[in-house]
Amino acid sequence: MLQRIWHMREMIEERMFVSYCDTFIDLDIGQMLEEHRRKGAVATMVTARIKSPFGLLTYGANRWVDSFVEKPVLNYYIGSFILERSALENVTPEMLAKPDGEGIVEFFNVLVDRNQLAAHEHAGAQITFNTENERQKAEETLGHFYSVSEDL
């Protein structure tokens, strides 16, 4: 992802909206952009609070459990963000040389360290699909969503 953005950097006038396109969201981009500008962020990620289907725990080297939480609600990044062109000044050749996915994570972590990465919490509809089965289920859900919405 980072390499693709880097290669098109000359085409970015001021900022761009990036989406991995594997999540359908009813995002109010205008509201997100307003929040992004107000905060003065160089990047703003779309997040959603999602209940984990698993209990999460931490433990030390001796395997004694330090903490346990059953199915917590966590903040997840859901694959879309606003990026200022100026943020690309933080990209290094090492980031670009990393395998796809690893470079963008390192890039985001640099922005976190510099307090330049904001979160935009999305509370509306969001459906993620990464496999053929998930795509089929998303298609059914979207069909139901729009059928029900149109009937109201």
Side-chain angles (χ1 to χ4, degrees), residues 5 14-20 25 27-48 76-88 90 104 107-109 111-112 115-122:
I5 294 169
E14 186 175 353
R15 74 183 54 86
M16 65 187 295
F17 181 78
V18 178
S19 180
Y20 293 0
I25 51 178
L27 182 65
D28 183 338
I29 295 175
Q31 178 189 28
M32 182 182 174
L33 181 57
E34 180 182 313
E35 183 180 330
H36 171 81
R37 287 178 174 155
R38 189 178 68 251
K39 289 180 177 178
V42 298
T44 299
M45 299 174 120
V46 179
T47 66
Y76 285 89
Y77 165 54
I78 58 173
S80 296
F81 58 95
I82 293 174
L83 183 70
E84 296 292 319
R85 183 172 187 216
S86 64
L88 297 175
N90 295 289
I104 193 86
F107 171 67
F108 285 145
N109 280 315
L111 298 181
V112 168
N115 198 36
Q116 297 177 322
L117 180 61
H120 174 77
E121 190 171 299
H122 175 67

Side-chain angles (χ1 to χ4, degrees), residues 1-114:
M1 172 65 72
L2 184 60
Q3 295 92 343
R4 289 174 284 212
I5 294 169
W6 180 256
H7 289 301
M8 63 180 290
R9 69 190 178 281
E10 297 303 321
M11 293 182 248
I12 304 167
E13 290 186 30
E14 186 175 353
R15 74 183 54 86
M16 65 187 295
F17 181 78
V18 178
S19 180
Y20 293 0
C21 294
D22 63 353
T23 300
F24 171 84
I25 51 178
D26 62 342
L27 182 65
D28 183 338
I29 295 175
Q31 178 189 28
M32 182 182 174
L33 181 57
E34 180 182 313
E35 183 180 330
H36 171 81
R37 287 178 174 155
R38 189 178 68 251
K39 289 180 177 178
V42 298
T44 299
M45 299 174 120
V46 179
T47 66
R49 296 187 49 75
I50 301 171
K51 184 175 184 175
S52 172
F54 306 104
L56 299 180
L57 56 95
T58 61
Y59 53 85
N62 60 8
R63 306 252 187 229
W64 285 101
V65 174
D66 298 318
S67 68
F68 173 75
V69 180
E70 179 63 15
K71 299 179 181 173
V73 176
L74 302 169
N75 295 312
Y76 285 89
Y77 165 54
I78 58 173
S80 296
F81 58 95
I82 293 174
L83 183 70
E84 296 292 319
R85 183 172 187 216
S86 64
L88 297 175
E89 295 168 8
N90 295 289
V91 174
T92 66
E94 293 78 20
M95 288 177 197
L96 293 170
K98 291 189 181 274
D100 198 34
E102 290 179 29
I104 193 86
V105 169
E106 186 173 328
F107 171 67
F108 285 145
N109 280 315
V110 166
L111 298 181
V112 168
D113 291 343
R114 295 182 178 166

